[in-house]
Amino acid sequence: MSSIDNPPPSSFTCLVVNERAVQWFQKKTIGETTYLIISDVQYEDTLNSHHLRSVLGCNNKEGERSDHYCWACRSYKTGTTYFYYCNECNNYYHKECVESPPIFISSYHPKYPLQLLKYDRGIRRECLCCGLEIYGLVYHSSISDLFMDPLCASKQEFSTIHNPERHEHTLHYFPRKAPITCDVCASDDTKNCFYSCLQCDFIVHGRCINLPHVIRISCHSHRLSFTSSLPFGNSWFCGVCSQKMDENYGSYSCTKSCTYAVHTNCATLLDIWAGKELKDQPELEDDNIKPSFEEMGDGIIRHFRHAHHRMKFIEDIEGVFDAKQQHCQACIFPLYDGNVYTCMECDFFLHGTCANLPRIKRIEHRHRLILVKGGSYFYCRFCDRYSCGFGYTCGEGCLDYYLDVRCASLSQLVDHPSHPHPFFLFYQRKSYQKCSACERTVSISLNCIERDFVLCCRCASLPYKVKYDHDEHMLTLSYEKIASGPCWCQICEETTDPKKGYYTCSECRVTFHTECVLGNDIYLKEGNELYTYYGRKVEIILNNRLSRPICHGCRKRCQYNIVFKNYLGNIFCSSIEVIYSR
C-alpha cells in the first residue's frame, strides 16, 4: 500500500468528525427508514478535522471482496484502484464515496437527479444495481423510489456487459422495472436492475452477473459450484432455507457426490459465505485435521483439550458418580447416564459424545469454527446464554463469535426426542420467527417439517433428560399435553403450559417448569467468574445455604442451584441481572 498524489475534495470531512455533528444534518424519513440529507452546506469542525490521504488499494476484480472496508458506504465492495485514508482514525474511504456530489445524475437513471443521503436507522434498503443492503452513503430518487450506492451510481460503462463465464452472449441493460425472473437466482426482485440477452431467452440481475463460480459455505463440508440447472428427477430442497428448488434456474451444488444444493441467494448470504471465489484455488480439506483425542489402548485416551492427563472410558455411568457434584467440562451438564471419559488424575469429565466433538465445525458463520476450551465464560450467539464450557469460535478471528457445543452440534435436519416430527435448521436474515415455546423472536430456528411449530435454539438445546432431587425417576422434556385438565409445577406450584414445554415424570405423572428444574443459567457452574459491563468481577457460587438469599435485582428468593455474588457481596439469581449491575 503506497500513497499517490490525489488530494481529497476540500468539502469532504472524515466520517468520524461528521458523525459528531449529526445534529447539523436534516433528516428524511422514507418508509420506516431515517436518512441524513447530505447537502452542499456541510458542518465542518475545524478543530477536529482529520487529514485524508490517497493510498493505492488492491486491484480486485468486479464482484470480489475488497481488502479495505469503506466507512462511508459501509461495505467491502471493489471500487477504483485507490482509497482515501484517514490518519487520525485509521479509516478507509472509496474514492467514489469521497467524491460523491450531493446531487447527481447517474447513467443508470438519467431521467431524474439523485439526492445523496446517509443511512441513520430503520430497515435497510437494497442497491438497485448490485442488490446489496445499504448501510452508509446512498443515492435516492424520490420520484421512482430507487436506491443506489455511490460506487454503482458513478459507473459509466454499464449499458452492455460481456462475461462469457456467465453467459456466452453480450448482455444489454434493461432499464424498465418489471416482474421478470432472473435465470441465475430464480427471483423476480424488481428492486435490482436487469440485463437481457438479445440472442436468446436469458435474463439476469446486474448483481448476479459476477457471482462466484466455486464457493465454500458454512452449512456444508464440501465446496459448491454454480450450475445453471439441476438434474431432473430428484426433489431438490435448499440446504439453507429448506424450501423447494426449481431445477430450471441457477443454484450452487456440491462438487462431491453429495445430493446437496442451495439457492443462489441463500448461498451468497454474508454470514453463510466468506465472500471468496475459490475457482482454480487448491482445496484444503478439513478431513486432514486430527481427531479430538488420541487413542492409547484399553479405553485410555488423551484429549487435545486436556492433553496433560490421560482419560479413561467408563461405559454407562448411571449411579457411578453423584450427578449433582460432577459435570461434563464441555457441555456443563451433569453426568446422569451414558458413556463418559474421566481423567485418571483430576476431576475432569467428558460425555462420550462431547469427547468426540470435531475440532472444526461449519455452521451458519461464513468462516469455519474451531473447538476451544473457553476462558472464564463466553456468550453463545445461537441461544443467547453464557457458558463456561467448551465452545466453537471463529477460526478467522471474528471478535466475540462463540457457539456452545450443543448449539454448534445442531445439523440441517434434527430429530428432537421431545417432538414427533423432524425439524430443519432455518436461517432467516430479513425477518424473524416467533418460537412456539418461549415466544422469543429469532432469526435462526428449528422448524417442524409437518406442522407450524418453531423452536428457537435456546429451547431446542434444553437437555431431553434431567434429574430432580425429590423424584427418583428421570424427567423428560415434553411439549405434549398429558392430562385433560391443568397441570401444576411441583416446585413453584403454578400451572405448566405444554406449548412452552415442561419436564414430566412418566412414572409419577408430575410436571415441572424447565426453569424451575434447570435455572436460568444452565451452562454456568460454581467456581467460575463473570464480569459486569463495568468491569466488576462476579463470583458464581452454590445456592446451598439453609435459607434462600433474596436477589438484589428482582427482590425475590433465589431458588436456583447457583447464584451470583458481586464485589459488594450482593446476591443475584441470574447472570442477566448481575451483568448490568454496577
Side-chain angles (χ1 to χ4, degrees), residues 133 215-218 240-241 262-275 364-366 427-430:
E133 287 188 344
I215 62 174
R216 189 77 179 259
I217 66 172
S218 61
V240 173
C241 70
V262 179
H263 287 125
T264 304
N265 287 340
C266 293
T268 52
L269 288 169
L270 180 62
D271 43 6
I272 295 292
W273 170 51
E364 192 268 338
H365 191 55
R366 63 183 180 271
Y427 304 95
Q428 180 62 268
R429 293 297 177 272
K430 296 183 180 180

Side-chain angles (χ1 to χ4, degrees), residues 239-384:
V240 173
C241 70
S242 298
Q243 300 298 308
K244 188 167 175 35
M245 302 177 68
D246 191 329
E247 299 93 336
N248 296 300
Y249 295 98
S251 63
Y252 285 92
S253 61
C254 181
T255 57
K256 304 294 185 181
S257 57
C258 304
T259 307
Y260 183 88
V262 179
H263 287 125
T264 304
N265 287 340
C266 293
T268 52
L269 288 169
L270 180 62
D271 43 6
I272 295 292
W273 170 51
K276 295 180 180 179
E277 166 68 86
L278 301 180
K279 184 180 178 181
D280 300 328
Q281 293 190 16
E283 188 164 359
L284 301 176
E285 291 287 353
D286 291 342
D287 298 338
N288 297 329
I289 297 172
K290 295 180 180 179
S292 296
F293 59 80
E294 175 190 357
E295 294 190 34
M296 308 182 72
D298 296 327
I300 307 297
I301 66 168
R302 191 180 297 276
H303 198 275
F304 86 108
R305 286 301 169 196
H306 194 66
H308 55 289
H309 293 157
R310 296 179 299 168
M311 302 185 71
K312 184 177 181 179
F313 177 74
I314 299 178
E315 187 175 1
D316 194 6
I317 201 173
E318 186 174 4
V320 176
F321 296 111
D322 182 357
K324 287 184 64 179
Q325 300 298 325
Q326 307 296 351
H327 295 75
C328 172
Q329 299 294 323
C331 68
I332 311 300
F333 284 162
L335 305 176
Y336 293 127
D337 55 11
N339 302 331
V340 168
Y341 286 94
T342 174
C343 180
M344 301 173 69
E345 299 184 45
C346 66
D347 291 335
F348 187 93
F349 302 92
L350 290 174
H351 286 120
T353 53
C354 294
N356 283 279
L357 289 168
R359 294 192 184 199
I360 301 295
K361 288 283 289 186
R362 293 186 180 273
I363 178 172
E364 192 268 338
H365 191 55
R366 63 183 180 271
H367 303 136
R368 65 180 187 172
L369 304 179
I370 300 175
L371 181 64
V372 295
K373 183 180 178 181
S376 56
Y377 67 99
F378 63 86
Y379 187 76
C380 176
R381 289 294 188 97
F382 272 24
C383 65
D384 299 323

Side-chain angles (χ1 to χ4, degrees), residues 10-30:
S10 58
S11 62
F12 184 83
T13 307
C14 174
L15 214 64
V16 171
V17 177
N18 257 344
E19 286 179 347
R20 294 174 187 162
V22 67
Q23 69 272 15
W24 295 84
F25 291 89
Q26 291 185 340
K27 294 188 177 182
K28 181 177 184 178
T29 301
I30 305 172

Side-chain angles (χ1 to χ4, degrees), residues 7 26 159 229 260 286 315 322 390 409 416 430 469 579:
Q26 291 185 340
S159 59
S229 62
Y260 183 88
D286 291 342
E315 187 175 1
D322 182 357
F390 287 10
S409 298
H416 201 285
K430 296 183 180 180
D469 294 346
I579 285 291

